[in-house]
Structure formats: C-alpha cells, structure tokens
Amino acid sequence: MYKRQVIGHLRDHKVEVLINYLPVGSQLATEFYAEICIELGISLVNCIPVFIASDPAWEQRFIDAGIPIIGDDMRSQFGASIVSQMLQELAFERGHHVKAHIQRNVGGNTDFLNMEDKNRLKSKKISKENVIRAQNDIRGISTEDSFLHAGPSEYISFYGDNKVANFRLELEGFMGAPVIFDAQLSVQDSPNSAGVVIDAIRYVYVARELGLVGALRGPSASTQKTPPQQMMFSDAIMECHALANRELTESTKKQLKK
Ligand SMILES: NC(=O)c1ccc[n+]([C@@H]2O[C@H](COP(=O)([O-])OP(=O)(O)OC[C@H]3O[C@@H](n4cnc5c(N)ncnc54)[C@H](O)[C@@H]3O)[C@@H](O)[C@H]2O)c1
C-alpha cells in the first residue's frame, strides 16, 4: 500500500531526481526507494552510507533501466572528509610516508545520536575511511604500515548541529624526519552538505540530458565519500567541469546509453 502511494506521489509530481537523506544505516528503506527509482526511471542521488552506486550489482540495474545516478554518502562542502583527502594527497605529493591519519568527529544532531547505535555506525565508518584509504589505493601505496582511522566518536547534545572534527597526522619526510600535524575544524553540519547536493542534482540532470547511464564517476568521486571509483581531487573536478559544460570525457563516453 505504502509503495503504491509513494509511486503515485512521484508520478504525480513528475519527479526526475530523488535525493536519499534517510537516517544513517537505513539499508532496507534505501533499497525500497532505489527499487522505485529503477521502476520509474528516476535518478537517485544517494547521500547516505548504504552502498548502491558503489555496488556493481545495483549499478547494473540502473544501467539496464537507462538511468544515471550519484552516490554514495554525501561529502560536505568544507567537511572532515574533503580536508582529510586533501591532507592525505598533500602528504603523498610532497613525498611523505603517512604513519597515522586519525580523524575524530563529535556532534549533537540526530545523525550523531543515531550513530550511537553501533549497527548504524558501521557503514559510516567504512565510508569515512574509504576517503583516506582511496588516496593510497589510487597511487598503489600500501596501507599496511599506516594507521588509518576515521569516524564519529561521540554524541554530545550541547553541540546541536555544530560538528567538530579533529585531525592528527603523523608523517615521515626526507630521511625519516618526523612531522606531526594537529588541527580542528568546526562547522554547521546540515548546510555544509546542502550546496554539494545541489551540485550533484545538477550533474545528474545534465547526465540525463546527455543520455548517460549508471553511476557517474567524476561527480560521485567529487560529491560522495564512497563513489564507484575513487579519484584524485583534480581528476574528479575535471570530470565535473566537463559534464557541466556538456563535454564528454573518456570516462563518460563509456557511459553513453547503448
Ligand atoms: N553533513 C551532513 O548533513 C551529511 C553528510 C554526509 C551524509 N549525511 C547523511 O545524511 C543522512 C541524513 O542526515 P541528517 O543529519 O539529516 O539526519 P536526520 O536523522 O536529522 O534526518 C533524517 C530524516 O529522515 C526522515 N525519515 C526517517 N525515516 C523515513 C522514511 N522511512 N521515509 C522517509 N523519511 C524518513 C526523518 O523524519 C528525518 O527527517 C544521514 O544518513 C547522514 O549520515 C549527512
């Protein structure tokens, strides 16, 4: 009954893009809406850490239905993930070995409250660590002797929508010279992701106009923590700009509807 109502509502409003902002850990509810997107030809922007765009089986179903999607798990405009990515990239580009990269987050909104439930937290932690680990993988640098940790660490109601992230990087530079980097970032969590989501909606909409299908590589890498293909920041941005200018790249040519 509920499914029929949702379908009716989406049809009545001629919805072309559906944004998934369900509570963290909503596996079945996300799959429910993903199924409906496939049925109705709606593009999904999956902003939560339930793996759809980055799951090849799910992606294939969107390809078969002729729909572009973006996912998974939104990155904020200036949040902990993009800062961690840039720090990891900087360390590697300047020839350092990363001994440890630790990112800890505290906040007081519903998302942090939900993550007190360890079952809901699991996929978020994987997704957050993917951002850092990906920069090793792209460059073929082993993570074996690096301690990588990223995740929400505590719910403190007083913080409200303010999220505070702490970063600690321990590096080895030329001739093993030690480098310690400690920093703190304080942001208002909700609006920090809103602008990025608007970009994602625009990218997926242009992709629909161009006849692209499946999980968009560049826009997913730029706007999400767990995309189907992780990229360096500069490559992801180049893909996004090309799409915004309606130019096809080697990556998007492969995604043209057959
Ligand atoms: N900076 C950010 O805000 C950010 C960044 C990355 C990822 N996310 C992810 O976005 C999601 C939402 O974050 P939030 O802080 O807005 O969480 P939230 O808990 O405040 O909001 C979730 C919303 O989903 C609604 N909801 C619950 N069950 C539903 C259902 N079955 N159908 C329709 N709606 C339902 C709730 O009423 C609520 O409005 C989380 O999964 C979070 O991890 C947020």
Side-chain angles (χ1 to χ4, degrees), residues 30-76:
T30 297
E31 290 177 4
F32 169 86
Y33 285 105
E35 291 284 355
I36 290 178
C37 285
I38 291 167
E39 205 173 315
L40 301 185
I42 294 173
S43 288
L44 176 68
V45 176
N46 182 34
C47 301
I48 85 162
V50 168
F51 305 122
I52 301 286
S54 58
D55 176 326
W58 271 106
E59 191 201 3
Q60 190 58 49
R61 296 190 58 201
F62 278 93
I63 293 171
D64 294 343
I67 317 163
I69 55 169
I70 289 180
D72 300 307
D73 195 15
M74 184 54 54
R75 283 167 188 245
S76 292

Short mmCIF file of all heavy atoms in Angstrom, two decimals, residues 30-76:
data_model
loop_
_atom_site.label_atom_id
_atom_site.label_comp_id
_atom_site.label_asym_id
_atom_site.label_seq_id
_atom_site.Cartn_x
_atom_site.Cartn_y
_atom_site.Cartn_z
N THR A 30 16.45 2.41 2.03
CA THR A 30 17.17 2.92 0.85
C THR A 30 16.94 1.99 -0.34
O THR A 30 16.69 2.46 -1.46
CB THR A 30 18.68 3.02 1.17
OG1 THR A 30 18.84 3.97 2.22
CG2 THR A 30 19.49 3.46 -0.03
N GLU A 31 16.98 0.68 -0.08
CA GLU A 31 16.74 -0.28 -1.17
C GLU A 31 15.31 -0.13 -1.70
O GLU A 31 15.08 -0.23 -2.91
CB GLU A 31 17.00 -1.71 -0.68
CG GLU A 31 18.49 -1.94 -0.43
CD GLU A 31 18.82 -3.33 0.12
OE1 GLU A 31 17.89 -4.16 0.24
OE2 GLU A 31 20.00 -3.57 0.42
N PHE A 32 14.39 0.13 -0.80
CA PHE A 32 12.98 0.33 -1.18
C PHE A 32 12.88 1.50 -2.18
O PHE A 32 12.27 1.38 -3.25
CB PHE A 32 12.17 0.62 0.10
CG PHE A 32 10.77 1.11 -0.11
CD1 PHE A 32 9.73 0.20 -0.28
CD2 PHE A 32 10.49 2.46 -0.11
CE1 PHE A 32 8.42 0.65 -0.45
CE2 PHE A 32 9.19 2.93 -0.28
CZ PHE A 32 8.15 2.01 -0.45
N TYR A 33 13.53 2.62 -1.85
CA TYR A 33 13.45 3.79 -2.74
C TYR A 33 14.27 3.58 -4.02
O TYR A 33 13.89 4.05 -5.09
CB TYR A 33 13.89 5.06 -2.00
CG TYR A 33 12.84 5.57 -1.04
CD1 TYR A 33 12.97 5.40 0.33
CD2 TYR A 33 11.68 6.19 -1.51
CE1 TYR A 33 11.99 5.84 1.22
CE2 TYR A 33 10.69 6.63 -0.64
CZ TYR A 33 10.85 6.45 0.72
OH TYR A 33 9.88 6.88 1.58
N ALA A 34 15.39 2.84 -3.92
CA ALA A 34 16.20 2.56 -5.11
C ALA A 34 15.39 1.72 -6.11
O ALA A 34 15.41 1.97 -7.32
CB ALA A 34 17.49 1.84 -4.72
N GLU A 35 14.65 0.73 -5.58
CA GLU A 35 13.79 -0.11 -6.44
C GLU A 35 12.77 0.77 -7.18
O GLU A 35 12.53 0.59 -8.37
CB GLU A 35 13.00 -1.13 -5.59
CG GLU A 35 13.82 -2.23 -4.97
CD GLU A 35 14.25 -3.31 -5.96
OE1 GLU A 35 13.81 -3.25 -7.12
OE2 GLU A 35 15.03 -4.19 -5.56
N ILE A 36 12.18 1.70 -6.45
CA ILE A 36 11.17 2.57 -7.05
C ILE A 36 11.80 3.45 -8.13
O ILE A 36 11.22 3.66 -9.20
CB ILE A 36 10.46 3.41 -5.96
CG1 ILE A 36 9.60 2.49 -5.12
CG2 ILE A 36 9.64 4.54 -6.58
CD1 ILE A 36 8.87 3.17 -3.97
N CYS A 37 13.01 3.94 -7.86
CA CYS A 37 13.71 4.76 -8.87
C CYS A 37 13.89 3.96 -10.16
O CYS A 37 13.65 4.46 -11.26
CB CYS A 37 15.09 5.20 -8.35
SG CYS A 37 15.00 6.51 -7.14
N ILE A 38 14.31 2.71 -10.02
CA ILE A 38 14.53 1.86 -11.20
C ILE A 38 13.20 1.65 -11.94
O ILE A 38 13.13 1.76 -13.16
CB ILE A 38 15.17 0.50 -10.77
CG1 ILE A 38 16.60 0.74 -10.29
CG2 ILE A 38 15.14 -0.51 -11.91
CD1 ILE A 38 17.23 -0.43 -9.56
N GLU A 39 12.16 1.41 -11.17
CA GLU A 39 10.84 1.17 -11.78
C GLU A 39 10.35 2.40 -12.55
O GLU A 39 9.76 2.26 -13.62
CB GLU A 39 9.87 0.83 -10.64
CG GLU A 39 8.69 0.00 -11.06
CD GLU A 39 7.87 -0.43 -9.83
OE1 GLU A 39 8.47 -0.87 -8.82
OE2 GLU A 39 6.63 -0.31 -9.91
N LEU A 40 10.59 3.59 -12.01
CA LEU A 40 10.03 4.80 -12.61
C LEU A 40 11.02 5.59 -13.47
O LEU A 40 10.67 6.63 -14.02
CB LEU A 40 9.49 5.73 -11.50
CG LEU A 40 8.40 5.18 -10.59
CD1 LEU A 40 7.90 6.28 -9.66
CD2 LEU A 40 7.23 4.64 -11.41
N GLY A 41 12.27 5.13 -13.56
CA GLY A 41 13.26 5.86 -14.37
C GLY A 41 13.71 7.16 -13.71
O GLY A 41 14.04 8.13 -14.39
N ILE A 42 13.75 7.15 -12.38
CA ILE A 42 14.16 8.35 -11.62
C ILE A 42 15.64 8.20 -11.24
O ILE A 42 16.07 7.12 -10.84
CB ILE A 42 13.30 8.49 -10.34
CG1 ILE A 42 11.84 8.79 -10.74
CG2 ILE A 42 13.83 9.57 -9.41
CD1 ILE A 42 10.88 8.77 -9.55
N SER A 43 16.40 9.29 -11.35
CA SER A 43 17.81 9.25 -10.92
C SER A 43 17.89 9.38 -9.41
O SER A 43 17.17 10.18 -8.81
CB SER A 43 18.59 10.40 -11.56
OG SER A 43 18.77 10.12 -12.92
N LEU A 44 18.81 8.61 -8.83
CA LEU A 44 18.98 8.64 -7.38
C LEU A 44 20.27 9.38 -7.04
O LEU A 44 21.31 9.10 -7.64
CB LEU A 44 19.05 7.19 -6.87
CG LEU A 44 19.32 6.98 -5.38
CD1 LEU A 44 18.13 7.45 -4.54
CD2 LEU A 44 19.57 5.49 -5.08
N VAL A 45 20.18 10.32 -6.10
CA VAL A 45 21.39 10.89 -5.51
C VAL A 45 21.42 10.34 -4.09
O VAL A 45 20.65 10.76 -3.22
CB VAL A 45 21.37 12.45 -5.53
CG1 VAL A 45 22.60 13.00 -4.82
CG2 VAL A 45 21.32 12.97 -6.95
N ASN A 46 22.27 9.35 -3.88
CA ASN A 46 22.25 8.62 -2.61
C ASN A 46 23.25 9.22 -1.63
O ASN A 46 24.45 8.94 -1.69
CB ASN A 46 22.56 7.14 -2.85
CG ASN A 46 22.50 6.36 -1.55
OD1 ASN A 46 21.70 6.67 -0.67
ND2 ASN A 46 23.36 5.38 -1.41
N CYS A 47 22.72 10.05 -0.74
CA CYS A 47 23.59 10.83 0.16
C CYS A 47 23.95 10.09 1.43
O CYS A 47 24.52 10.71 2.34
CB CYS A 47 22.88 12.13 0.53
SG CYS A 47 22.47 13.13 -0.89
N ILE A 48 23.58 8.83 1.58
CA ILE A 48 23.84 8.16 2.86
C ILE A 48 24.72 6.92 2.67
O ILE A 48 24.79 6.38 1.57
CB ILE A 48 22.53 7.84 3.62
CG1 ILE A 48 21.91 6.51 3.18
CG2 ILE A 48 21.48 8.94 3.46
CD1 ILE A 48 20.90 5.97 4.19
N PRO A 49 25.37 6.47 3.74
CA PRO A 49 26.29 5.34 3.59
C PRO A 49 25.59 3.97 3.54
O PRO A 49 25.80 3.12 4.39
CB PRO A 49 27.20 5.46 4.83
CG PRO A 49 26.37 6.16 5.85
CD PRO A 49 25.45 7.08 5.10
N VAL A 50 24.72 3.82 2.56
CA VAL A 50 24.20 2.49 2.18
C VAL A 50 24.66 2.34 0.74
O VAL A 50 24.44 3.25 -0.07
CB VAL A 50 22.65 2.44 2.28
CG1 VAL A 50 22.12 1.17 1.62
CG2 VAL A 50 22.22 2.50 3.74
N PHE A 51 25.32 1.23 0.42
CA PHE A 51 26.08 1.20 -0.83
C PHE A 51 25.21 0.75 -2.02
O PHE A 51 24.85 -0.41 -2.12
CB PHE A 51 27.34 0.37 -0.64
CG PHE A 51 28.16 0.88 0.53
CD1 PHE A 51 28.49 0.09 1.61
CD2 PHE A 51 28.55 2.21 0.55
CE1 PHE A 51 29.20 0.59 2.69
CE2 PHE A 51 29.27 2.75 1.63
CZ PHE A 51 29.59 1.93 2.70
N ILE A 52 24.88 1.72 -2.87
CA ILE A 52 24.04 1.47 -4.05
C ILE A 52 24.85 1.81 -5.32
O ILE A 52 25.14 0.92 -6.11
CB ILE A 52 22.75 2.34 -4.01
CG1 ILE A 52 21.92 2.03 -2.74
CG2 ILE A 52 21.93 2.16 -5.29
CD1 ILE A 52 21.18 0.71 -2.75
N ALA A 53 25.25 3.06 -5.47
CA ALA A 53 26.01 3.46 -6.67
C ALA A 53 27.35 2.73 -6.72
O ALA A 53 27.88 2.44 -7.80
CB ALA A 53 26.22 4.97 -6.68
N SER A 54 27.90 2.45 -5.54
CA SER A 54 29.22 1.81 -5.48
C SER A 54 29.11 0.28 -5.46
O SER A 54 30.13 -0.40 -5.38
CB SER A 54 29.97 2.28 -4.23
OG SER A 54 29.22 1.98 -3.06
N ASP A 55 27.88 -0.23 -5.53
CA ASP A 55 27.68 -1.69 -5.58
C ASP A 55 27.42 -2.07 -7.05
O ASP A 55 26.39 -1.66 -7.62
CB ASP A 55 26.48 -2.05 -4.70
CG ASP A 55 26.16 -3.54 -4.76
OD1 ASP A 55 26.34 -4.17 -5.83
OD2 ASP A 55 25.71 -4.09 -3.74
N PRO A 56 28.33 -2.85 -7.67
CA PRO A 56 28.19 -3.14 -9.11
C PRO A 56 26.84 -3.76 -9.49
O PRO A 56 26.31 -3.48 -10.56
CB PRO A 56 29.34 -4.12 -9.38
CG PRO A 56 30.34 -3.85 -8.30
CD PRO A 56 29.55 -3.44 -7.10
N ALA A 57 26.28 -4.59 -8.59
CA ALA A 57 25.01 -5.23 -8.93
C ALA A 57 23.88 -4.20 -8.99
O ALA A 57 23.06 -4.21 -9.91
CB ALA A 57 24.68 -6.31 -7.90
N TRP A 58 23.84 -3.30 -8.02
CA TRP A 58 22.84 -2.23 -8.05
C TRP A 58 23.09 -1.31 -9.24
O TRP A 58 22.15 -0.92 -9.93
CB TRP A 58 22.88 -1.41 -6.75
CG TRP A 58 22.00 -1.94 -5.67
CD1 TRP A 58 22.40 -2.60 -4.54
CD2 TRP A 58 20.57 -1.87 -5.61
NE1 TRP A 58 21.31 -2.93 -3.79
CE2 TRP A 58 20.18 -2.51 -4.41
CE3 TRP A 58 19.58 -1.35 -6.44
CZ2 TRP A 58 18.84 -2.62 -4.02
CZ3 TRP A 58 18.25 -1.46 -6.06
CH2 TRP A 58 17.88 -2.09 -4.87
N GLU A 59 24.36 -0.98 -9.47
CA GLU A 59 24.64 -0.06 -10.58
C GLU A 59 24.13 -0.66 -11.90
O GLU A 59 23.54 0.04 -12.72
CB GLU A 59 26.14 0.26 -10.70
CG GLU A 59 26.33 1.40 -11.68
CD GLU A 59 27.72 1.54 -12.29
OE1 GLU A 59 28.60 0.71 -12.02
OE2 GLU A 59 27.90 2.50 -13.05
N GLN A 60 24.37 -1.98 -12.07
CA GLN A 60 23.94 -2.63 -13.32
C GLN A 60 22.43 -2.48 -13.53
O GLN A 60 21.97 -2.28 -14.65
CB GLN A 60 24.35 -4.11 -13.31
CG GLN A 60 24.16 -4.80 -14.65
CD GLN A 60 24.94 -4.13 -15.78
OE1 GLN A 60 26.13 -3.86 -15.65
NE2 GLN A 60 24.25 -3.83 -16.90
N ARG A 61 21.69 -2.54 -12.45
CA ARG A 61 20.23 -2.42 -12.57
C ARG A 61 19.84 -1.01 -13.03
O ARG A 61 18.91 -0.84 -13.82
CB ARG A 61 19.57 -2.75 -11.23
CG ARG A 61 19.81 -4.22 -10.85
CD ARG A 61 18.98 -4.63 -9.68
NE ARG A 61 17.57 -4.43 -9.96
CZ ARG A 61 16.63 -4.33 -9.02
NH1 ARG A 61 16.98 -4.43 -7.74
NH2 ARG A 61 15.38 -4.13 -9.34
N PHE A 62 20.58 -0.01 -12.58
CA PHE A 62 20.32 1.37 -13.06
C PHE A 62 20.75 1.51 -14.53
O PHE A 62 20.08 2.18 -15.30
CB PHE A 62 21.03 2.39 -12.16
CG PHE A 62 20.27 2.70 -10.90
CD1 PHE A 62 20.51 2.00 -9.73
CD2 PHE A 62 19.28 3.68 -10.87
CE1 PHE A 62 19.80 2.25 -8.57
CE2 PHE A 62 18.56 3.95 -9.72
CZ PHE A 62 18.82 3.23 -8.56
N ILE A 63 21.86 0.86 -14.88
CA ILE A 63 22.31 0.91 -16.29
C ILE A 63 21.23 0.27 -17.18
O ILE A 63 20.84 0.84 -18.20
CB ILE A 63 23.67 0.18 -16.45
CG1 ILE A 63 24.77 0.94 -15.73
CG2 ILE A 63 24.02 0.00 -17.94
CD1 ILE A 63 26.12 0.20 -15.64
N ASP A 64 20.75 -0.89 -16.75
CA ASP A 64 19.73 -1.59 -17.55
C ASP A 64 18.47 -0.74 -17.70
O ASP A 64 17.77 -0.82 -18.71
CB ASP A 64 19.38 -2.95 -16.91
CG ASP A 64 20.56 -3.91 -16.94
OD1 ASP A 64 21.51 -3.67 -17.71
OD2 ASP A 64 20.54 -4.89 -16.16
N ALA A 65 18.19 0.05 -16.68
CA ALA A 65 16.99 0.90 -16.73
C ALA A 65 17.27 2.22 -17.45
O ALA A 65 16.36 3.04 -17.63
CB ALA A 65 16.50 1.17 -15.30
N GLY A 66 18.53 2.44 -17.84
CA GLY A 66 18.88 3.65 -18.62
C GLY A 66 18.91 4.93 -17.79
O GLY A 66 18.56 6.00 -18.28
N ILE A 67 19.36 4.80 -16.53
CA ILE A 67 19.31 5.96 -15.61
C ILE A 67 20.69 6.29 -15.03
O ILE A 67 21.38 5.38 -14.55
CB ILE A 67 18.39 5.67 -14.39
CG1 ILE A 67 17.11 4.98 -14.81
CG2 ILE A 67 18.08 6.96 -13.62
CD1 ILE A 67 16.39 4.32 -13.64
N PRO A 68 21.08 7.57 -15.01
CA PRO A 68 22.31 7.92 -14.29
C PRO A 68 22.03 8.13 -12.80
O PRO A 68 20.94 8.58 -12.43
CB PRO A 68 22.72 9.25 -14.94
CG PRO A 68 21.43 9.86 -15.39
CD PRO A 68 20.47 8.72 -15.69
N ILE A 69 23.00 7.80 -11.97
CA ILE A 69 22.86 8.01 -10.51
C ILE A 69 24.18 8.55 -9.95
O ILE A 69 25.23 8.46 -10.59
CB ILE A 69 22.49 6.71 -9.74
CG1 ILE A 69 23.50 5.59 -10.03
CG2 ILE A 69 21.10 6.26 -10.08
CD1 ILE A 69 23.34 4.39 -9.11
N ILE A 70 24.10 9.06 -8.72
CA ILE A 70 25.29 9.53 -8.00
C ILE A 70 25.23 8.96 -6.58
O ILE A 70 24.17 8.92 -5.96
CB ILE A 70 25.33 11.08 -7.97
CG1 ILE A 70 25.65 11.62 -9.37
CG2 ILE A 70 26.34 11.59 -6.95
CD1 ILE A 70 25.73 13.13 -9.47
N GLY A 71 26.35 8.51 -6.06
CA GLY A 71 26.41 8.01 -4.68
C GLY A 71 27.81 7.53 -4.37
O GLY A 71 28.65 7.48 -5.27
N ASP A 72 28.11 7.06 -3.17
CA ASP A 72 27.20 7.00 -2.02
C ASP A 72 27.81 7.79 -0.85
O ASP A 72 29.03 7.74 -0.65
CB ASP A 72 27.07 5.54 -1.58
CG ASP A 72 26.52 4.63 -2.68
OD1 ASP A 72 25.46 4.93 -3.26
OD2 ASP A 72 27.18 3.63 -2.98
N ASP A 73 26.97 8.42 -0.08
CA ASP A 73 27.33 9.10 1.16
C ASP A 73 27.96 10.47 0.90
O ASP A 73 29.18 10.59 0.69
CB ASP A 73 28.27 8.23 2.03
CG ASP A 73 28.39 8.73 3.46
OD1 ASP A 73 27.56 9.54 3.88
OD2 ASP A 73 29.32 8.29 4.16
N MET A 74 27.12 11.47 0.99
CA MET A 74 27.50 12.85 0.69
C MET A 74 28.75 13.33 1.43
O MET A 74 28.94 13.03 2.60
CB MET A 74 26.30 13.72 1.11
CG MET A 74 26.42 15.17 0.82
SD MET A 74 26.78 15.57 -0.88
CE MET A 74 25.51 14.72 -1.78
N ARG A 75 29.57 14.09 0.71
CA ARG A 75 30.69 14.80 1.35
C ARG A 75 30.24 16.23 1.54
O ARG A 75 29.61 16.80 0.65
CB ARG A 75 31.87 14.92 0.39
CG ARG A 75 32.69 13.73 0.19
CD ARG A 75 33.56 14.01 -1.01
NE ARG A 75 34.25 12.81 -1.38
CZ ARG A 75 35.58 12.69 -1.32
NH1 ARG A 75 36.32 13.70 -0.93
NH2 ARG A 75 36.15 11.59 -1.68
N SER A 76 30.61 16.84 2.62
CA SER A 76 30.24 18.23 2.83
C SER A 76 31.15 19.16 2.02
O SER A 76 32.20 18.76 1.52
CB SER A 76 30.33 18.58 4.31
OG SER A 76 29.32 17.87 5.00
#
